């Protein structure tokens, strides 16, 4: 197998902070909240820089920015707890990474023997005493003795390249692939409540594995969660219209912020990602619909990332565009090569610093899915309006 071409490469010059973040972000971690109490006040910070150190004596280390209020409180109290978050704790992770005045408001807690708050529902608690605080550049590294350790059932929250996710065992991954294929094979006008028990029987696997796969697909936007049930729902024109309007609003705003200000290396990366999207359309069809959706996702998300706002990126991802596109497309779907022309023109507008052209291309691009769908219906002989 040949080595793939690198995404980020510093070569022999010094590694920039951006490159380091991008490359180290490939190291997937769990997510914890470090909690402590000092002088009657409770502190807490989301942290992924946590590592076990020695098992005899049991020791671990945490790295906290010196600007963090929690870091100062850990330094002063000499005690803390590590709360390992569960996969449904994205809200807690976000809350404890924010600067809200009272991070504990509405969060169920208990108190550890060393006085640190313990988050109820965490999948592990480690009660720690600082052995040595080390100052390392912008951070404190706290080497600590683990005085008590408790684990609970549950699956961990994962963090990879700036996104929260789930850890997956190999059997989970293979069931997810099969369940996903079934949902995609259902077509875009099917309405079905998924019968977890029947699917488990048909695939010969435990119903829990099916359930976990459904949770992941709902997060991706491929199916809908309603009460305790999971539904395959049709993808009518009205949903495509609504989501693409929101996408256009975000992307036009991003263009206003970034056209003319993007760095040359960012423009080069944008062009590379655009070029990766070419070649997926041949003779009026997608050669590989899933490949197209993924390449298209990387290109558009990179544009959003250029604004440097995690909130914007998160909002954009909540539109679940890849899931919507995957449900709406199949191998036979009509595909217009204008999609690729739009991408090319968009990058050219970025390179020319021409925000008006970029906005105009984005507008025409946002109309393509419905345009293509209507073409598709005409080609297949169905009246265009019948789908909605
Ligand atoms: C997934 C994730 C992991 C983080 N890991 C760390 C970390 O290891 N060390 C750190 O100092 N900050 C980390 N942060 C940032 C802090 O949570 C954030 O700066 C927080 O606002 C600090 O709160 P405080 O000032 O109340 O202590 C992380 C944030 C997120 C979302």
């Amino acid at each position: 197998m040949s080595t793939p071409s690198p995404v980020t490469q510093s070569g022999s010059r010094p590694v920039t902070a951006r490159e380091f973040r991008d490359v180290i972000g490939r190291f997937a971690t769990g997510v914890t909240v470090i909690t402590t109490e000092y002088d009657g006040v409770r502190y807490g910070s989301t942290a992924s820089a946590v590592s076990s150190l020695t098992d005899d004596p049991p020791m671990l280390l945490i790295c906290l920015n010196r600007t963090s209020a929690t870091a100062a409180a850990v330094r002063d109290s000499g005690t803390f707890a590590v709360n390992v978050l569960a996969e449904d704790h994205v809200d807690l992770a976000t809350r404890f990474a924010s600067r809200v005045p009272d991070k504990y408001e509405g969060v169920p807690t208990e108190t550890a023997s060393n006085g640190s708050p313990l988050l109820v529902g965490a999948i592990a608690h480690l009660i720690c005493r600082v052995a040595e605080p080390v100052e390392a550049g912008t951070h404190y590294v706290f080497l600590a003795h683990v005085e008590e350790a408790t684990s609970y059932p549950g699956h961990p929250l994962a963090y990879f390249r700036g996104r929260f996710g789930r850890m997956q065992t190999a059997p989970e991954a293979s069931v997810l692939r099969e369940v996903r294929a079934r949902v995609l094979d259902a077509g875009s006008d099917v309405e079905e409540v998924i019968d977890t028990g029947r699917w488990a029987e048909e695939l010969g696997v435990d119903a829990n594995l099916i359930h976990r796969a459904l949770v992941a697909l709902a997060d991706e936007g491929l199916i809908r969660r309603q009460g305790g049930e999971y539904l395959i729902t049709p993808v009518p024109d009205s949903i495509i219209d609504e989501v693409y309007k929101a996408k256009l609003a975000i992307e036009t705003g991003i263009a206003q912020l970034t056209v003319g200000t993007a760095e040359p290396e960012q423009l080069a990366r944008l062009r590379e990602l655009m070029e990766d999207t070419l070649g997926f359309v041949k003779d009026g069809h997608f050669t590989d619909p899933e490949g197209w959706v993924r390449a298209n996702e990387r290109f558009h998300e990179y544009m959003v990332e250029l604004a440097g706002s995690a909130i914007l990126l998160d909002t954009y991802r909540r539109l679940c565009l890849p899931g919507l596109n995957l449900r709406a497309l199949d191998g036979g779907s009509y595909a217009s090569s204008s999609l690729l022309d739009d991408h090319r023109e968009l990058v050219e507008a970025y390179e020319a610093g021409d925000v008006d052209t970029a906005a105009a291309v984005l507008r025409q691009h946002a109309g393509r899915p419905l345009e293509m769908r209507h073409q598709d219906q005409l080609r297949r002989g169905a009246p265009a309006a019948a789908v909605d």
Side-chain angles (χ1 to χ4, degrees), residues 31 44-49 63-65 67-71 96-99 103 139 159 164:
V31 183
S45 170
T46 302
S48 54
C63 307
L64 290 179
N65 199 304
T67 58
S68 144
T70 309
F96 279 90
S98 75
R99 299 255 158 172
K103 295 185 180 181
H139 278 62
Y159 193 62
F164 294 110

Side-chain angles (χ1 to χ4, degrees), residues 26-306:
R26 259 85 178 159
F27 181 57
T29 65
V31 183
T32 74
V33 174
I34 306 298
T35 54
T36 191
E37 189 262 2
Y38 181 65
D39 220 5
V41 181
R42 299 191 292 176
Y43 297 86
S45 170
T46 302
S48 54
V50 174
S51 168
S52 80
L53 190 56
T54 56
D55 53 11
D56 189 13
M59 288 187 81
L60 55 72
L61 66 82
I62 60 171
C63 307
L64 290 179
N65 199 304
R66 285 161 67 181
T67 58
S68 144
T70 309
V74 168
R75 181 198 57 207
D76 296 341
S77 68
T79 58
F80 63 90
V82 178
N83 299 261
V84 180
L85 296 186
E87 62 183 2
D88 56 351
H89 279 164
V90 173
D91 289 353
L92 274 183
T94 311
R95 183 171 187 86
F96 279 90
S98 75
R99 299 255 158 172
V100 291
D102 182 5
K103 295 185 180 181
Y104 287 93
E105 197 186 330
V107 177
T109 57
E110 290 172 354
T111 306
S113 54
N114 69 1
S116 304
L118 296 177
L119 305 186
V120 175
I123 61 166
H125 290 139
L126 297 124
I127 319 279
C128 304
R129 180 170 43 84
V130 176
E132 200 185 335
V134 180
E135 290 188 21
T138 51
H139 278 62
Y140 284 116
V141 181
F142 293 107
L143 312 183
H145 291 286
V146 178
E147 296 184 324
E148 284 175 48
T150 314
S151 64
Y152 306 90
H155 297 275
L157 180 62
Y159 193 62
F160 174 65
R161 296 193 61 200
R163 293 176 88 151
F164 294 110
R166 296 189 166 79
M167 299 262 181
Q168 233 176 31
T169 60
E172 282 167 356
S174 95
V175 171
L176 177 60
R177 266 195 304 278
E178 293 198 51
V179 171
R180 204 161 180 278
R182 279 188 161 218
V183 169
L184 291 176
D185 285 348
S188 64
D189 47 4
V190 165
E191 181 135 36
E192 181 187 336
V193 177
I194 296 173
D195 181 341
T196 314
R198 184 166 60 79
W199 283 33
E201 229 176 274
E202 285 169 5
L203 294 175
V205 298
D206 192 280
N208 276 330
L209 286 179
I210 301 282
H211 185 259
R212 279 179 62 71
L214 295 177
V215 172
L217 294 186
D219 283 354
E220 212 189 321
L222 279 175
I223 56 176
R224 264 192 33 225
R225 196 181 290 135
Q226 195 172 291
E229 293 189 317
Y230 290 89
L231 287 83
I232 300 178
T233 51
V235 186
D237 286 4
S238 54
I239 291 195
I240 296 185
D241 185 46
E242 201 178 324
V243 174
Y244 271 81
K245 267 188 193 134
K247 174 182 189 276
L248 175 62
I250 296 175
E251 290 186 346
T252 312
I254 296 281
Q256 296 282 352
L257 291 171
T258 56
V259 174
T261 60
E263 301 287 334
E265 85 210 41
Q266 294 175 322
L267 293 174
R269 179 74 189 134
L270 190 64
R271 173 162 278 282
E272 253 173 49
L273 291 172
M274 177 275 286
E275 281 165 0
D276 288 349
T277 68
L278 308 178
F280 279 102
V281 177
K282 201 166 170 232
D283 303 330
H285 294 290
F286 289 109
T287 50
D288 164 11
E290 173 119 25
W292 156 258
V293 167
R294 296 297 163 212
N296 189 49
E297 176 188 11
R298 283 192 294 275
F299 170 63
H300 282 274
E301 281 200 358
Y302 186 70
M303 253 171 47
V304 178
E305 277 175 44
L306 289 181

